[in-house]
């Protein structure tokens, strides 16, 4: 029996596995949410596939995406990351990751968890879209606009509306699997 997936993931097994096991599945764990924030911010201007291929390298370089550790990174660690050929070596994005980890901790302290904060933008329930084709999948939404605006107000960097919409898709805040996809609920 042929498995029908969203066409964007048919490049190879890495993409198919990500699509089938992660993309669009609700995530409430702050550590995983932070991981996706980091990866999505590095993806800005690049393809998601590029970032996905480097994901394990990012995980090693950034201490397993431990935001508590990352919030304490100094210039020495930044210089080390800039030499790491396994990740995207963009100084501004590396500095933004450290800065965003600090802001992430502030939001946690204020809201109890980052998950509670971010999921409140969709009232704690995934937005289920019914796209027929990839052309029906938006790059942003009113929710991603509001979320990006609030994050910017809180000092977050490299997390504009399109990055946040991609984050919402990755963490299941929005389900944009095509109606023909086997993953569609």
């Amino acid at each position: 029996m042929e498995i029908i997936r969203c066409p964007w993931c048919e490049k190879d097994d890495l993409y198919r596995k990500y699509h089938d096991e992660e993309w669009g599945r609700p995530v409430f764990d702050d550590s995983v949410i932070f991981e996706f924030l980091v990866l999505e911010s590095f993806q800005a201007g690049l393809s998601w596939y590029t970032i996905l291929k480097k994901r394990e390298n990012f995980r090693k370089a950034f201490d397993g995406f431990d935001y508590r550790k990352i919030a304490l990174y100094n210039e020495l660690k930044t210089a080390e990351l800039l030499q790491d050929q396994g990740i995207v070596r963009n100084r501004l994005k590396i500095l933004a990751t450290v800065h965003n980890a600090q802001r992430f901790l502030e939001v946690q302290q204020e809201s109890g968890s980052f998950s509670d904060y971010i999921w409140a933008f969709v009232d704690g329930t995934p937005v289920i879209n019914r796209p027929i084709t990839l052309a029906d999948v938006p790059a942003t939404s009113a929710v991603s606009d509001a979320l990006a605006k609030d994050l910017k107000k809180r000092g977050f960097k490299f997390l504009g509306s399109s990055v946040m919409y991609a984050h919402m898709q990755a963490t299941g805040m929005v389900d944009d699997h095509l109606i023909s996809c086997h993953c569609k609920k």
Side-chain angles (χ1 to χ4, degrees):
M1 187 171 86
E2 180 184 0
I3 295 176
I4 298 173
R5 294 179 174 88
C6 299
W8 61 261
C9 75
E10 291 295 356
K11 183 174 189 151
D12 66 9
D13 287 339
L14 175 67
Y15 237 15
R16 283 187 283 274
K17 181 175 171 50
Y18 169 71
H19 169 272
D20 291 355
E21 297 177 11
E22 292 185 84
W23 193 73
R25 301 199 188 276
V27 174
F28 298 96
D29 180 295
D30 276 4
S31 296
V32 178
I33 290 171
F34 183 76
E35 175 179 350
F36 277 111
L37 284 174
V38 172
L39 295 174
E40 295 291 352
S41 69
F42 272 92
Q43 185 267 328
L46 302 170
S47 75
W48 179 244
Y49 185 75
T50 297
I51 299 303
L52 200 56
K53 282 185 2 185
K54 294 177 178 277
R55 187 179 192 179
E56 287 308 313
N57 296 332
F58 272 102
R59 186 171 280 128
K60 289 175 194 163
F62 283 96
D63 291 300
F65 297 107
D66 185 334
Y67 49 87
R68 291 172 195 88
K69 288 182 181 178
I70 295 169
L72 301 174
Y73 283 4
N74 57 25
E75 278 299 317
L76 185 62
K77 180 63 176 182
T78 300
E80 177 187 312
L81 289 167
L82 284 168
Q83 298 304 311
D84 190 331
Q85 295 181 9
I87 66 169
V88 174
R89 297 178 293 171
N90 179 306
R91 182 174 181 74
L92 292 178
K93 290 179 181 183
I94 291 169
L95 292 173
T97 298
V98 176
H99 180 82
N100 289 349
Q102 295 163 354
R103 304 295 76 76
F104 192 89
L105 288 166
E106 291 169 0
V107 171
Q108 274 187 324
Q109 194 167 39
E110 178 185 317
S111 301
S113 74
F114 196 87
S115 176
D116 289 345
Y117 159 77
I118 201 166
W119 276 91
F121 282 85
V122 292
D123 297 324
T125 304
V127 174
I128 310 297
N129 292 326
R130 305 254 181 250
I132 296 169
T133 69
L134 289 179
D136 298 326
V137 178
T140 64
S141 70
V143 174
S144 69
D145 292 347
L147 180 53
K149 183 177 179 182
D150 194 68
L151 288 169
K152 184 176 183 177
K153 183 180 80 177
R154 293 170 180 276
F156 284 81
K157 298 177 180 179
F158 282 96
L159 298 177
S161 186
S162 60
V163 170
M164 289 316 300
Y165 193 79
H167 176 79
M168 292 168 62
Q169 290 172 312
T171 60
M173 292 175 66
V174 62
D175 179 350
D176 276 336
H177 286 283
L178 300 187
I179 59 171
S180 59
C181 178
H182 78 101
C183 291
K184 193 62 165 181
K185 293 176 181 60

